[in-house]
Amino acid sequence: MNAEISTPAAELTQRLSATPRGARLARRLVAHQLATWGYPHDSDLNYTAQQLTAELAANAVTHGRAPGRDFEVRLLLLAHDSTLRIEVSDARDDRPLRFVRDAAAEGGRGLVVVSLLARRWGVAERDVGKTVWAELPL
């Protein structure tokens, strides 16, 4: 086993209510934690991480919500490859991720935003639900 791959330099994990308020708190939590780690609120990294968190958390609250279940935000600084990894886990695995198909639709562009902002992103299955993650270079 390669210890570098699984050992973050810094980590934050927080469960939040699967509500719009919880999604807003996720964004603020990420902004604050990155500032604490030395990436100020007005830095490009912090701002981009806030945008990614907002999209992923909004999707978790809107599409991944299960009654009585929270969602989880996890932030990892991976020193071995100078990467920030943002993970948002929800309790639903029965709804596949979707991209907007109708240009006139009011919503559905969240994953397009994620794909444009992140260096890499993807989805991982869990015992309950799924984790959508995105990575940014430090």
Side-chain angles (χ1 to χ4, degrees), residues 23-133:
R24 284 191 307 275
L25 287 173
R27 180 180 179 156
R28 293 185 61 141
L29 177 69
V30 165
H32 176 75
Q33 188 62 52
L34 286 174
T36 300
W37 288 341
Y39 301 94
H41 286 274
D42 60 352
S43 68
D44 287 341
L45 176 74
N46 195 313
Y47 181 74
T48 303
Q50 288 181 56
Q51 295 299 314
L52 285 170
T53 302
E55 292 298 338
L56 297 178
N59 282 349
V61 167
T62 304
H63 307 292
R65 184 176 182 193
R69 302 298 299 262
D70 295 334
F71 75 98
E72 183 177 274
V73 174
R74 185 172 180 220
L75 200 58
L76 302 160
L77 284 179
L78 304 172
H80 69 280
D81 65 353
S82 299
T83 298
L84 171 68
R85 184 176 173 110
I86 302 163
E87 299 178 351
V88 176
S89 302
D90 63 51
R92 302 243 347 230
D93 58 5
D94 60 335
R95 299 182 81 179
L97 299 181
R98 297 181 326 198
F99 283 91
V100 67
R101 302 265 188 251
D102 179 6
E106 289 187 26
R109 290 173 182 77
L111 291 177
V112 173
V113 171
V114 169
S115 68
L116 291 172
L117 293 177
R119 176 173 58 187
R120 294 182 333 136
W121 73 278
V123 182
E125 293 181 12
R126 298 168 23 120
D127 288 338
V128 175
K130 64 186 170 301
T131 298
V132 183
W133 55 268

